[in-house]
Amino acid sequence: MTPLMGFTLVQLRYFLVTAECGSMTEASGELHIAQSAVSTAVNNLERDLHVQLFLRRRGRGLTLTPAGERLRQHARELLARASEVEREARGDGGTISGPVTVGCFVTLAPYYLPPLFSQCTDRYPGIEINVVEGETDQLVQALGAGRIDFALTYDIGLSAELNLRSETIAPAPAYVIVPAGHPLAGQGTVELAELSAEPLVLLDLPHSRDYFRSLVAATGVAPDVRYRTRSYETVRSLVARGLGYSVLNQRPATSQTYGGGEIAELELRDGSPPLKVKLASLADMTQTTRARAVMDLLREIAARPARA
């Protein structure tokens, strides 16, 4: 006979909300129940599992213990599975619905999220996509904390500390942008050595900055970084103003910039390996049906021919 579990899904839900809020008071407000009910559920869960889930420090809120961190990941997955079982039991298992939280690298968001939302609305109207935008380190941290189902990101900076499963869905070769009136603008291709004496406008994001600098440094000349910005479009606008050149990976559909100027794109002849756009998730996490559906949509979007 299968032994009965000593805890309930309600306890797991209250625990998960408390972990996200970092406070039982805030969790009770989020759940619209009395704080005593949250406290009792969490205390009973700790008793049933024979572990301490939170460190309780007066005036400093709640901090998850290592056991609590592990349970948060499993509880999130278990509750998602329970929702699927409920839908199957009601006979609406053919309808994919529910929330999916996607982590997205900031510079990939404008290219992948609009078609993702559009296609998901058409194909799976019951799926609610939530997005956490960030840089690689932030997305890896969100994966480890169980705040996102999976991440859409580049292959640079992926942590070796977490047991991650990653899949390449598209290449993202580097290319150069120069002002539309630049002497090299009409060439179509360029070697970075031809621009090494000119100022570089650097997309100043963690890991990305090192990648771009390394491409220029490979010519044998240290890059003259004159301007830095964390904004992709600001990089393009500065270049359009004639303030330097830059190296980027994703290609907007227009050569016009927010500032009103225009840039020209040049293919690189240096043979630099492209970055890889990846779907990354925890290796030991089984994705829900709806998360797998969203991942399939991203694969379809990535498989479309790149803009010429």
Side-chain angles (χ1 to χ4, degrees):
M1 182 177 178
T2 304
L4 295 175
M5 291 185 298
F7 60 89
T8 68
L9 294 178
V10 171
Q11 288 175 333
L12 286 181
R13 179 168 177 254
Y14 288 6
F15 158 74
L16 203 55
V17 174
T18 302
E20 293 296 330
C21 293
S23 160
M24 290 189 186
T25 301
E26 291 185 22
S28 66
E30 183 79 16
L31 293 164
H32 303 292
I33 61 174
Q35 180 179 337
S36 58
V38 178
S39 177
T40 299
V42 171
N43 290 338
N44 288 344
L45 183 61
E46 290 180 316
R47 181 200 63 202
D48 294 338
L49 295 178
H50 306 289
V51 293
Q52 182 177 350
L53 300 173
F54 292 105
L55 295 175
R56 297 161 173 82
R57 298 189 176 99
R58 185 177 297 275
R60 296 174 59 185
L62 302 174
T63 303
L64 283 170
T65 64
E69 288 283 3
R70 291 191 297 270
L71 180 62
R72 176 161 64 172
Q73 297 177 27
H74 293 303
R76 194 165 179 264
E77 181 180 351
L78 182 57
L79 289 173
R81 288 296 183 189
S83 296
E84 292 184 359
V85 170
E86 182 183 16
R87 288 194 298 273
E88 290 286 348
R90 290 201 308 261
D92 58 355
T95 302
I96 301 177
S97 62
V100 176
T101 304
V102 180
C104 188
F105 192 84
V106 285
T107 60
L108 291 175
Y111 303 94
Y112 283 87
L113 295 186
L116 175 62
F117 279 109
S118 177
Q119 290 187 34
C120 191
T121 298
D122 292 340
R123 200 175 304 182
Y124 306 110
I127 291 181
E128 175 193 344
I129 299 179
N130 302 303
V131 177
V132 174
E133 293 184 44
E135 296 148 11
T136 305
D137 292 344
Q138 295 169 323
L139 297 181
V140 169
Q141 184 179 19
L143 279 172
R147 293 196 300 271
I148 59 177
D149 292 287
F150 63 88
L152 176 70
T153 185
Y154 288 116
D155 58 336
I156 52 174
L158 286 178
S159 174
E161 298 176 5
L162 281 179
N163 185 18
L164 295 179
R165 178 195 300 115
S166 66
E167 167 196 351
T168 300
I169 62 171
Y175 68 99
V176 167
I177 60 170
V178 295
H182 193 280
L184 299 177
Q187 288 191 180
T189 63
V190 71
E191 292 187 6
L192 279 173
E194 299 177 67
L195 294 162
S196 58
E198 299 187 24
L200 172 67
V201 181
L202 182 66
L203 180 60
D204 196 18
L205 296 173
H207 304 295
S208 296
R209 68 171 75 98
D210 298 329
Y211 165 74
F212 292 128
R213 290 173 69 105
S214 70
L215 293 181
V216 179
T219 65
V221 178
D224 177 16
V225 179
R226 196 73 56 86
Y227 304 97
R228 301 169 180 265
T229 174
R230 297 169 67 88
S231 164
Y232 202 90
E233 185 54 34
T234 302
V235 168
R236 298 176 77 246
S237 295
L238 290 172
V239 170
R241 285 276 182 157
L243 297 173
Y245 75 98
S246 191
V247 186
L248 299 172
N249 292 90
Q250 295 298 322
R251 298 188 181 223
T254 176
S255 60
Q256 296 292 322
T257 68
Y258 283 2
E262 188 174 355
I263 53 95
E265 299 174 355
L266 302 173
E267 302 285 345
L268 274 174
R269 299 197 302 266
D270 301 68
S272 305
L275 289 182
K276 297 173 183 177
V277 180
K278 287 184 171 285
L279 294 176
S281 59
L282 294 177
D284 57 355
M285 179 178 176
T286 303
Q287 296 292 342
T288 61
T289 301
R290 56 185 179 274
R292 293 197 300 271
V294 174
M295 294 172 84
D296 285 340
L297 288 177
L298 286 169
R299 293 184 185 100
E300 291 180 22
I301 294 167
R304 294 172 185 163
R307 179 176 66 84

